[in-house]
Amino acid sequence: MSIRGTFTLPGDKSLSHRALIFAAMSNGESQISNLSDGNDVVSTRDCLVHCGIKIFDDGQTTLIRGGSFTDPSTDLNCGNSGTTTRLLLGLLAGKGINARFIGDQSLSSRPMDRVLNPLAKMGLKLKSNDGRLPISIFKSDLKGIKHNSLIPSAQIKSAILLAGIEATGKTSTTESILSRNHTEIMLKKLGATISTNNLTNTISKSSLSSLINFKVPGDPSTSSFFATAAILLPNSSITIDNILLNPTRIGFYRIINKMGAKLDYLNEKFSFGEKLGSIKVVSSKLNNINISKNDIPGLIDELPLIALLATQATGVTEVRDASELRFKECDRIKAICKNLINMGANIKELDDGFIVKGPTRLKGAKIKTYDDHRIAMTFSIAGLISNQGIELDNPDCVAISFPNFFQLLERLKK
Ligand code: S3P
């Protein structure tokens, strides 16, 4: 089997959340097309609607009338989405909204104190379940702070900046390694008073202009599943058009290129401050690699795929300094290692990563997804190179980021 074809993907998940949020914050009407159709982005949209923001679909375009936020009359259900929870905590804290946030079982077990602590320092009155959901926030006057984030995280950075845009004085946030920088790029484009100095962003009170005809570029994290299939299956060649190529998001492509993957970037251009273009990927032979601290933020969501690719690469691949993976939609270090061991891979679990010795022929297995979309998609690709194929315990969880994952994969198979 091979996979072949040229295709586009639904909009990037991180940019889709932010486009909806910034459109809601602006004082005019915004038009957004190619929004992610995953459940996570629907959670953000629904929460904004509960807070009084008017959102309509007009054919292919989503129209948002931003401006005035009101207290929601029901709990804000963030579903499975950490980005929805953390960004809206910052936004609604700044807007002086009284709200109660809830989520599914996975989200309710994830740490939220990383944003609650700085927001409380800004003056937010809140109640949480020991740093986790459910969380209630109460109308408060916020003041600017200087925050130093020990964890490089775009969600923490964004929550603080979104609160800081309504706070008195200046709010600055510093991270140790650059995490995805969509929030600061978009805030600048929309006229916010924000400056970036190395790893520090400083914001003060500003109003935002609306997003006029913003087309969200395709999701590079979603593209990585298809790129992995193309690399591992012989005689494969795919071209993915209109993909987001922001350097903070394509760490996966940088690393697999170093491992020997044959890639081409085509038609590169900038739109709304973000780089985009096409990526061509063909079947390739891979070597091992060592991945550590500085590489991690740029490929955090793609590490399950790196583990899979490492099982087919020659030599020993080590991934370290990735303990954040234990706090994603599931404990991804455990999910990767347990499932790959069941498929016959030579992988050792570490506290903060894993060591893989390749190449190994994978065998079929029953896969425990832990209801995590990226685990389900990674092991669907692993199944294609295994001798008996795999069975997922919950294939439907792919809808968190890409409901049409299986349909597209079928279409590309030759
Ligand atoms: C995201 C940031 C990352 C990433 C998540 C989306 C965002 O999380 O893993 O899928 O859109 O800001 P962290 O900020 O926790 O690293």
Side-chain angles (χ1 to χ4, degrees):
M1 186 203 305
S2 58
I3 68 160
R4 302 185 70 83
T6 298
F7 56 97
T8 55
L9 289 170
D12 178 58
K13 187 155 81 72
S14 292
L15 273 182
S16 296
H17 286 293
R18 286 161 174 80
L20 285 170
I21 288 172
F22 294 135
M25 291 165 76
S26 82
N27 273 320
E29 185 177 286
S30 297
Q31 308 86 28
I32 310 173
S33 57
N34 202 39
L35 270 173
S36 159
D37 56 354
N39 293 346
D40 271 8
V41 172
V42 173
S43 294
T44 291
R45 174 183 172 140
D46 289 348
C47 289
L48 290 170
V49 168
H50 283 304
C51 293
I53 301 300
K54 301 276 181 280
I55 305 182
F56 313 92
D57 291 305
D58 174 14
Q60 304 290 69
T61 307
T62 302
L63 306 177
I64 298 107
R65 242 170 254 142
S68 55
F69 285 74
T70 51
D71 288 352
S73 55
T74 58
D75 288 344
L76 295 179
N77 190 344
C78 302
N80 189 247
S81 174
T83 310
T84 304
T85 316
R86 296 189 178 121
L87 269 57
L88 290 187
L89 278 167
L91 168 72
L92 299 181
K95 293 285 176 195
I97 294 297
N98 299 291
R100 183 167 181 270
F101 290 76
I102 57 168
D104 70 9
Q105 207 186 345
S106 147
L107 189 63
S108 302
S109 71
R110 294 177 66 185
M112 296 297 156
D113 44 358
R114 52 184 64 194
V115 296
L116 296 179
N117 291 342
L119 291 175
K121 216 168 130 201
M122 293 177 82
L124 178 67
K125 290 178 263 175
L126 62 93
K127 232 172 48 201
S128 79
N129 173 25
D130 201 15
R132 291 178 161 73
L133 293 173
I135 295 167
S136 297
I137 61 169
F138 307 98
K139 185 175 170 39
S140 321
D141 290 323
L142 301 191
K143 58 177 192 316
I145 55 163
K146 278 192 178 159
H147 183 256
N148 239 314
S149 184
L150 297 175
I151 311 163
S153 155
Q155 293 177 357
I156 301 177
K157 169 171 65 178
S158 304
I160 295 169
L161 292 173
L162 290 177
I165 205 167
E166 304 284 353
T168 52
K170 287 185 177 175
T171 300
S172 71
T173 166
T174 304
E175 52 191 346
S176 51
I177 304 166
L178 183 65
S179 63
R180 62 192 71 192
N181 57 356
H182 308 304
T183 296
E184 46 271 48
I185 289 177
M186 214 180 256
L187 281 171
K188 280 174 199 158
K189 279 277 152 199
L190 300 180
T193 315
I194 174 171
S195 61
T196 306
N197 183 2
N198 286 324
L199 295 166
T200 301
N201 284 289
T202 305
I203 197 160
S204 36
K205 259 194 202 295
S206 341
S207 54
L208 301 185
S209 50
S210 48
L211 274 155
I212 308 294
N213 295 327
F214 178 55
K215 182 175 180 198
V216 186
D219 194 319
S221 296
T222 303
S223 79
S224 307
F225 298 103
F226 299 93
T228 301
I231 288 163
L232 296 180
L233 294 166
N235 300 317
S236 294
S237 172
I238 58 167
T239 301
I240 313 162
D241 288 332
N242 191 48
I243 279 288
L244 177 67
L245 296 178
N246 176 318
T248 65
R249 291 295 303 284
I250 55 167
F252 169 78
Y253 286 103
R254 280 194 297 274
I255 289 289
I256 62 169
N257 195 222
K258 283 189 192 159
M259 293 173 82
K262 290 181 227 145
L263 313 172
D264 272 318
Y265 298 106
L266 312 159
N267 309 318
E268 292 172 72
K269 60 176 182 180
F270 278 85
S271 175
F272 278 87
E274 294 282 2
K275 189 170 178 182
L276 55 137
S278 303
I279 308 179
K280 183 175 178 203
V281 189
V282 300
S283 321
S284 315
K285 279 222 153 326
L286 300 181
N287 297 312
N288 63 319
I289 196 155
N290 285 334
I291 299 179
S292 61
K293 218 169 183 149
N294 288 328
D295 303 313
I296 299 297
L299 49 49
I300 184 79
D301 292 341
E302 288 67 64
L303 285 170
L305 287 169
I306 294 289
L308 169 60
L309 288 165
T311 68
Q312 305 307 304
T314 306
V316 176
T317 291
E318 268 198 56
V319 174
R320 295 262 173 180
D321 300 308
S323 47
E324 265 300 296
L325 275 186
R326 296 206 183 268
F327 306 105
K328 294 292 176 189
E329 286 83 329
C330 74
D331 175 345
R332 284 189 179 152
I333 295 182
K334 183 172 120 195
I336 291 165
C337 294
K338 278 206 165 1
N339 285 313
L340 277 178
I341 286 169
N342 285 343
M343 295 188 79
N346 186 341
I347 182 166
K348 183 168 170 242
E349 182 173 342
L350 306 173
D351 282 349
D352 65 343
F354 43 81
I355 300 178
V356 186
K357 189 158 182 268
T360 324
R361 180 100 176 97
L362 297 180
K363 56 180 198 225
K366 289 197 167 169
I367 300 298
K368 204 164 154 31
T369 59
Y370 302 88
D371 305 324
D372 181 329
H373 56 134
R374 297 199 200 282
I375 297 299
M377 292 190 275
T378 298
F379 283 91
S380 301
I381 305 299
L384 301 180
I385 58 160
S386 70
N387 41 18
Q388 297 102 344
I390 56 98
E391 196 185 307
L392 301 174
D393 63 0
N394 178 12
D396 294 346
C397 67
V398 301
I400 293 295
S401 58
F402 188 27
N404 287 323
F405 172 75
F406 295 112
Q407 287 87 329
L408 177 58
L409 194 57
E410 278 310 308
R411 208 181 86 205
L412 297 173
K413 281 184 193 169
K414 296 287 172 315

